[in-house]
Amino acid sequence: MILTQIAFYLFATVLVLSAAMVVSARNPVHAVLFLILGFFNAAGLFLIAGAEFLAMILVIVYVGAVAVLFLFVVMMLDVNFTQLREGVQRYAPVGAAIGVVLLAELVFTVARWQVVPHPAPIAAGNGLPPGITNTEALGRLIYTDYVFLFQACGLVLMVAMIGAIVLTLRERPSAKRQDVSKQHARMPADTMEMMSLSLGAGTTGNHALAAGRDGFLRPHDGYGAVADEGGPGVRAPEDHEADHHHGA
Amino acid sequence: MSHFFLHTTLGLVILTVLECLAILVPLLMGVAYLVLAERKVLGAIQLRKGPNVVGPFGMFQTFADAIKMMTKETVIPSGANRVLFLVAPFLTFLLAMIAWAVIPTNNGWAIADINVGVLYLFAVSSLGVYGIIIAGWASNSKYAFMGGLRSAAQMVSYEVSLGLVIVCVLLVVGSLNLNDIILAQRHVWFCLPLLPMFVVFFISALAETNRAPFDLPEGESELVAGFFVEYSSLAFGLFFLGEYMNMILMSAMTSILFLGGWLPPVGIAPFTWIPGPIWLIAKICFVLFMFIWVRATFPRYRYDQLMRLGWKVFLPLSLGWMVLTAGFLLATGLLPTTTPHAAAIAASAQTPPAVEAAPSEGAG
């Protein structure tokens, strides 16, 4: 199909170009966005190769979650890339070594050189009945032959996750936290007191207010009287000793 | 004629373009009337009339608003990153549209009836955050940036529980194909056996589309308008369209995963006379009404409460329910083991005649 070929060359070209832009872009945010474009095109190549499950997982995991956090961090941090580039001379040999290893691996794969004497059968499509989807084929392989490797990957990821939490979590006793269950268990009687006050007596005439437990205004406080006297909390208690008590 | 459309490259391209138009034109009209319906429903809930001046019952209000919006000036802030500032609204709009490629509107009627349909939908809906975060950053404004960051954290958090809910459904179905998921609900819609997951999915969908009470990325009481505070004219219009299209998309996902998609409620005569697309639209409208109802009823969540709900309530709940579902299916021997696509093809032969109308590919 000519359309598939056009799509392949399009995805491959954009992938290579955006990968080049990731390392050469001056603005770190642009670099991350080019990385995302690269992921997309890689997913497109997976689709052309018939690995639709891998393509979707690449988009969901890398583009939908990992790259969002990358972008988040890069936007928040004020990364100075020119400063980062000063170490380029020092780290160049390491980078080159990694590049050589990757290239060698690629050559091994493309040329189908056998290094292991008896390679394990990894032919996913061969041992399965026809008409099976590639998601199911992958599932059958991962959860049967490679279940221990799969679980080991899960363990490594969990250790990484716990490690990240341990490194970043710090106890701050000064921070105010909301305990939702405690809040839900709170009853009106715990914090609020309903009183009936005598009309026209003002705050001075109401003993219960004068005893002023904490000085906070309550719904039944006479607001007009507060304006006159400067609030129930500021008055001295001895003013009201003769006041008659209104049952609260 | 049918040979040209089904067996030549050019014919297939033309056919696909026509299919896209058949989805997108009703979708855009749907957005226009969803905006009107939202204002009408909100008005009714608040004992007002809502828009009622432009056209009969205010039917042309949205079009008048659209013309007003298009004739305004596009303002680009001087400190903004011009390219990304303009890319962001287009990205939001584009992502809201491409997801519709896999939505089945009748038995086997989808532009792309792919095997990993659910994953595709999940992937596209998780990409929606980019339009918002890029807009927030490119605007070079504090409020917009705060909105973008909030959105990023919020959408990543709720995606986790959304994904686990989808896994629950997939466990019961045994296939990632959306049509298979609908066909698996022939006897009972998943909203009944998976009721807690239905509730979690609906609330997560509200958070994923940045709708009230989770509309913190735009939170006008704190952030003016959040991520699109600097946008005007058509760029703002694209964000607006994108938000409503995402709402319709999430409603469609809810209908497909939990309300039986294009299936009638019961497979007997008067219900099966109504064609599948009508049922799907009716269910989407119902879920959309719930979206609007929730907006009119609940106050906005505080940000830490939103995060608590996502991570400390929904994540353990959906994870636990997933284990429970898997355990139940394994214990009762109901775990789907056959290759589901073959089963679906066999089952489609038994579906009611109204649903079995010729697929769109054969219509050319």
Side-chain angles (χ1 to χ4, degrees):
Chain A
M1 279 278 280
I2 182 111
L3 279 180
T4 319
Q5 283 181 0
I6 293 174
F8 172 78
Y9 284 112
L10 186 74
F11 286 140
T13 316
V14 178
L15 175 58
V16 171
L17 287 181
S18 56
M21 287 304 288
V22 172
V23 284
S24 60
R26 291 205 159 272
N27 190 330
V29 173
H30 290 180
V32 177
L33 291 174
F34 276 115
L35 182 69
I36 293 163
L37 188 63
F39 281 145
F40 255 115
N41 288 285
L45 288 179
F46 271 136
L47 271 184
I48 290 173
E52 71 258 12
F53 183 75
L54 280 184
M56 292 303 149
I57 291 298
L58 184 71
V59 174
I60 291 171
V61 175
Y62 282 94
V63 184
V66 174
V68 172
L69 298 180
F70 264 28
L71 202 58
F72 194 99
V73 170
V74 168
M75 281 178 178
M76 296 276 281
L77 297 177
D78 193 15
V79 185
N80 190 346
F81 259 44
T82 47
Q83 222 168 27
L84 278 179
R85 263 159 221 232
E86 283 168 7
V88 138
Q89 298 286 333
R90 213 146 45 94
Y91 298 117
V94 182
I98 294 173
V100 167
V101 170
L102 283 177
L103 189 69
E105 279 177 356
L106 264 180
V107 169
F108 273 121
T109 320
V110 171
R112 293 172 192 270
W113 287 349
Q114 288 195 354
V115 196
V116 189
H118 299 288
I122 342 175
N126 292 354
L128 293 164
I132 207 163
T133 63
N134 107 29
T135 314
E136 202 174 341
L138 210 60
R140 286 193 184 184
L141 211 61
I142 288 176
Y143 292 103
T144 52
D145 297 350
Y146 296 101
V147 66
F148 293 115
L149 285 176
F150 179 70
Q151 293 290 334
C153 288
L155 275 179
V156 169
L157 283 176
M158 195 173 79
V159 168
M161 187 178 79
I162 294 172
I165 293 172
V166 167
L167 284 177
T168 53
L169 185 75
R170 56 196 166 110
E171 284 293 328
R172 277 176 302 176
S174 63
K176 287 183 177 171
R177 292 184 193 284
Q178 182 184 21
D179 189 342
V180 174
S181 54
K182 213 181 264 179
Q183 222 170 9
H184 282 168
R186 222 165 75 130
M187 303 304 284
D190 297 341
T191 47
M192 202 166 64
E193 199 174 350
M194 303 298 276
M195 296 178 193
S196 50
L197 302 176
S198 59
L199 283 175
T203 43
T204 43
N206 283 298
H207 184 79
L209 274 182
R213 278 149 199 77
D214 47 14
F216 284 116
L217 272 179
R218 298 214 167 75
H220 286 272
D221 287 353
Y223 289 109
V226 172
D228 289 338
E229 307 232 359
V234 297
R235 280 170 292 107
E238 61 265 24
D239 291 348
H240 314 289
E241 289 190 344
D243 288 343
H244 58 280
H245 183 268
H246 291 276
Chain B
M1 195 66 181
S2 76
H3 176 81
F4 170 70
F5 278 125
L6 294 176
H7 299 287
T8 61
T9 306
L10 182 67
L12 276 175
V13 169
I14 293 174
L15 187 67
T16 313
V17 168
L18 288 178
E19 284 175 357
C20 292
L21 285 178
I23 289 272
L24 291 180
V25 172
L27 184 64
L28 287 172
M29 291 303 287
V31 169
Y33 282 100
L34 174 60
V35 175
L36 183 71
E38 174 165 35
R39 294 175 66 179
K40 282 280 189 190
V41 170
L42 282 181
I45 290 174
Q46 296 162 357
L47 299 179
R48 298 182 285 112
K49 280 194 170 153
N52 62 348
V53 176
V54 189
F57 308 108
M59 297 273 273
F60 304 136
Q61 180 68 49
T62 319
F63 300 101
D65 288 347
I67 291 167
K68 180 199 75 174
M69 205 177 279
M70 278 188 277
T71 49
K72 285 191 170 186
E73 184 191 353
T74 306
V75 181
I76 300 179
S78 56
N81 188 318
R82 289 180 69 94
V83 177
L84 288 180
F85 186 81
L86 292 175
V87 161
F90 278 101
L91 192 65
T92 305
F93 184 63
L94 192 78
L95 286 172
M97 282 195 300
I98 59 169
W100 285 87
V102 296
I103 301 280
T105 48
N106 206 342
N107 197 3
W109 286 24
I111 298 174
D113 189 13
I114 57 175
N115 284 328
V116 285
V118 179
L119 288 182
Y120 175 82
L121 270 187
F122 187 57
V124 171
S125 71
S126 68
L127 294 181
V129 66
Y130 281 108
I132 294 174
I133 197 170
I134 292 173
W137 182 78
S139 298
N140 199 12
S141 146
K142 287 188 184 67
Y143 293 122
F145 189 55
M146 286 289 289
L149 291 185
R150 278 183 175 192
S151 173
Q154 173 178 334
M155 289 175 90
V156 168
S157 307
Y158 279 84
E159 242 161 54
V160 179
S161 52
L162 213 58
L164 286 170
V165 172
I166 291 176
V167 170
C168 281
V169 173
L170 296 183
L171 276 173
V172 182
V173 178
S175 166
L176 295 168
N177 183 299
L178 288 168
N179 211 39
D180 290 350
I181 291 176
I182 294 174
L183 285 172
Q185 303 180 55
R186 278 188 311 274
H187 306 299
V188 60
W189 293 356
F190 289 150
C191 64
L192 291 178
L194 297 174
L195 183 65
M197 291 301 98
F198 176 53
V199 175
V200 169
F201 189 87
F202 179 71
I203 298 174
S204 301
L206 287 177
E208 195 76 359
T209 48
N210 296 324
R211 288 285 300 177
F214 306 113
D215 55 346
L216 287 135
E218 55 175 285
E220 68 270 8
S221 54
E222 318 114 76
L223 297 181
V224 195
F227 62 92
F228 55 71
V229 79
E230 304 291 345
Y231 282 88
S232 63
S233 175
L234 205 59
F236 169 76
L238 287 178
F239 269 126
F240 194 75
L241 274 176
E243 182 188 332
Y244 280 85
M245 279 161 91
N246 271 329
M247 266 172 76
I248 302 180
L249 176 70
M250 275 304 187
S251 307
M253 266 179 95
T254 315
S255 316
I256 288 168
L257 292 177
F258 291 101
L259 300 174
W262 41 260
L263 284 173
V266 274
I268 51 170
F271 295 102
T272 51
W273 290 342
I274 300 170
I278 307 278
W279 280 118
L280 183 67
I281 290 171
K283 286 165 187 174
I284 290 175
C285 288
F286 170 71
V287 182
L288 284 173
F289 176 75
M290 302 257 288
F291 268 72
I292 300 168
W293 192 7
V294 165
R295 177 181 166 181
T297 311
F298 293 106
R300 185 177 295 134
Y301 256 57
R302 211 173 57 209
Y303 199 71
D304 62 311
Q305 290 172 332
L306 174 92
M307 282 296 156
R308 179 186 162 272
L309 186 72
W311 289 107
K312 293 189 181 172
V313 180
F314 282 177
L315 178 61
L317 183 67
S318 50
L319 199 60
W321 196 271
M322 187 189 80
V323 174
L324 198 71
T325 310
F328 178 81
L329 290 173
L330 202 63
T332 53
L334 289 170
L335 205 64
T337 47
T338 55
T339 311
H341 214 71
I345 292 160
S348 67
Q350 299 161 7
T351 43
V355 182
E356 213 187 28
S360 60
E361 282 84 6

